Amino acid sequence: MKTLTTNLKSILPVFLMTLSFAANAQKLPAVQPSTGFRAPANIRIDGKTTEWDNTFQANNHATDIFYTMANDDTRLYLVVQCTVPDVISKIIGGGITLTIQKSGKKTDKDGISITYPIFTKDNRPSLGISRKISVENGVTKTETTGDVLTDSVIAARNKQLADKSKFIGISGIPGLDSLISVYNENGIKTGQAINNKGAYTYELSVDLKTLGISAADASKFAYHITLNGLGKPQMTIKIQNADGTTATNNSAVAQSPEVSDMIAKMTAAMGGGGLFSATDFWGEYTLAKK
């Protein structure tokens, strides 16, 4: 009998949370209507949805996010909220990319793209959750442990998000480098936070001038929202053989034809390839006039 186990703590900053969905979630469209939506006054880009009355314009099931796109006379806003632990891990691991295509065509080519948050592989937040997956006699078992979400735990996690996320990825904006500071003076503001229910919120605000569009002209554009995956999974694999010996990593895979099937079962237990692969959708938006 062989038992295959792996601990994903080092690569999956998953949150243990009590999930709470908006009461009107099932009534929301998968993609926000293209007619413009005026942003509320006095918005703070801080990862909180207070100014938005904690409501959203769409619930996209392809990516498992709630979101709202909005504008005022000078800025475009995107607010995203996620309550699914593995999807939050995907966002933390790979970021969200918003691509604006002024031509209206659904292609990233020649578009403007903004990616946030960005963490280096060795600097991702460690957010207190550990998932152990084992396959024994063909049966997959998953054990998840983590801290209770007290106020102090949430504060500590939000501090990690703030301290470790210092850059924004940029593509297609003339004069800007591919990586700029979150403290930039280029009209791009970002924020993220975990609330007391464990939901993760992302906020982005961009000057319309930076994007080359105008509310006065009721500019229309296509947009592409992508949750970038974590890439190829990296797992520490350990096999416990019937004779008491163990094998790890590549040697474990090489010595047993059963391991491939076991790894497939583990991948399924992690929600298939979705955590490591990008998920995305397209929409259209027309800037709202006052």
Side-chain angles (χ1 to χ4, degrees):
M1 178 189 73
K2 296 181 185 293
T3 301
L4 177 64
T5 62
T6 184
N7 191 315
L8 303 178
K9 183 175 180 180
S10 62
I11 63 167
L12 299 182
V14 186
F15 302 97
L16 185 65
M17 61 177 70
T18 300
L19 302 184
S20 176
F21 291 89
N24 64 340
Q26 293 183 350
K27 299 179 182 178
L28 293 175
V31 177
Q32 180 175 327
S34 61
T35 51
F37 183 76
R38 291 291 293 188
N42 303 318
I43 292 178
R44 296 183 61 186
I45 306 302
D46 55 6
K48 298 178 182 179
T49 57
T50 307
E51 307 96 314
W52 304 93
D53 293 327
N54 300 310
T55 59
F56 300 89
Q57 296 300 301
N59 178 19
N60 186 266
H61 299 289
T63 53
D64 287 316
I65 62 169
F66 296 90
Y67 83 98
T68 294
M69 182 169 285
N71 70 276
D72 53 27
D73 291 341
T74 61
R75 303 186 71 82
L76 179 72
Y77 302 91
L78 176 65
V79 55
V80 171
Q81 189 171 91
C82 181
T83 59
V84 181
D86 280 352
V87 180
I88 296 173
S89 292
K90 177 189 289 191
I91 294 171
I92 296 299
I96 296 174
T97 297
L98 170 66
T99 300
I100 301 294
Q101 183 52 268
K102 292 184 287 184
S103 71
K105 297 179 181 179
K106 293 183 178 181
T107 174
D108 290 341
K109 184 179 180 181
D110 300 323
I112 293 173
S113 296
I114 301 172
T115 300
Y116 178 83
I118 292 179
F119 300 100
T120 63
K121 178 182 176 182
D122 298 327
N123 197 40
R124 290 173 184 162
S126 176
L127 298 170
I129 202 71
S130 178
R131 180 192 288 189
K132 181 179 180 181
I133 301 173
S134 63
V135 181
E136 184 172 348
N137 295 332
V139 178
T140 305
K141 298 180 180 180
T142 302
E143 180 182 354
T144 302
T145 58
D147 301 326
V148 176
L149 288 179
T150 61
D151 289 346
S152 60
V153 168
I154 293 171
R157 292 182 180 178
N158 282 330
K159 186 176 187 304
Q160 281 198 63
L161 291 175
D163 290 347
K164 293 176 179 288
S165 178
K166 298 298 185 184
F167 297 100
I168 303 168
I170 300 293
S171 175
I173 300 180
L176 293 190
D177 293 334
S178 60
L179 207 60
I180 64 173
S181 169
V182 294
Y183 308 111
N184 69 86
E185 297 181 355
N186 306 113
I188 302 173
K189 298 180 180 180
T190 54
Q192 59 181 336
I194 305 162
N195 68 16
N196 60 3
K197 293 182 175 63
Y200 171 88
T201 301
Y202 151 112
E203 285 188 293
L204 171 69
S205 169
V206 189
D207 279 351
L208 296 180
K209 289 182 179 179
T210 300
L211 298 173
I213 53 181
S214 169
D217 298 336
S219 296
K220 183 177 181 179
F221 56 86
Y223 64 89
H224 188 196
I225 294 176
T226 304
L227 276 60
N228 303 303
L230 288 170
K232 185 178 180 181
Q234 301 173 11
M235 296 184 289
T236 299
I237 299 171
K238 179 180 179 181
I239 291 183
Q240 181 72 48
N241 296 309
D243 61 3
T245 61
T246 61
T248 58
N249 293 336
N250 292 335
S251 63
V253 177
Q255 70 155 279
S256 174
E258 299 171 314
V259 174
S260 294
D261 181 60
M262 291 179 176
I263 291 177
K265 287 183 171 64
M266 286 185 172
T267 301
M270 291 186 287
L275 181 61
F276 302 100
S277 304
T279 50
D280 67 308
F281 65 94
W282 282 89
E284 295 181 342
Y285 186 82
T286 301
L287 293 174
K289 294 183 178 181
K290 184 178 292 184

